[in-house]
Amino acid sequence: MQIDEKLLDKLAIGEVNALLEGLDDPELRRNPAFLAKVREFLKQNKLQTTPETQGVQKIQKVVEEIPTFDLDGQVS
């Protein structure tokens, strides 16, 4: 089955736009299921972030500040 490339491009653009709109939504961008879909989209399309990607350094800093909890609920 052959699908017109213009139609495929339109579908791909729609998917990208939907993901971007979701990332702009304060509630949706904190939803683990939605973020999993974003990560899957990036993986499927072989898109990778690097330390130079805008926002990555901020995420790394925040992650470093998250305390580690042991099995007894003690913070280390």
Side-chain angles (χ1 to χ4, degrees), residues 49-65:
T49 59
T50 66
E52 293 78 28
T53 303
Q54 182 180 359
V56 170
Q57 290 180 349
K58 183 178 178 181
I59 292 170
Q60 288 172 333
K61 182 173 175 20
V62 170
V63 169
E64 289 171 2
E65 295 172 2

Side-chain angles (χ1 to χ4, degrees), residues 13-64:
I13 291 168
E15 183 177 15
V16 168
N17 287 335
L19 291 172
L20 290 173
E21 287 173 18
L23 289 170
D24 285 338
D25 182 303
E27 287 186 36
L28 196 53
R29 72 175 174 225
R30 289 180 175 80
N31 181 314
F34 173 73
L35 294 175
K37 291 191 181 294
V38 171
R39 283 191 297 276
E40 183 62 26
F41 175 85
L42 294 172
K43 182 179 175 184
Q44 286 176 344
N45 291 283
K46 297 181 174 105
L47 303 171
Q48 298 180 356
T49 59
T50 66
E52 293 78 28
T53 303
Q54 182 180 359
V56 170
Q57 290 180 349
K58 183 178 178 181
I59 292 170
Q60 288 172 333
K61 182 173 175 20
V62 170
V63 169
E64 289 171 2

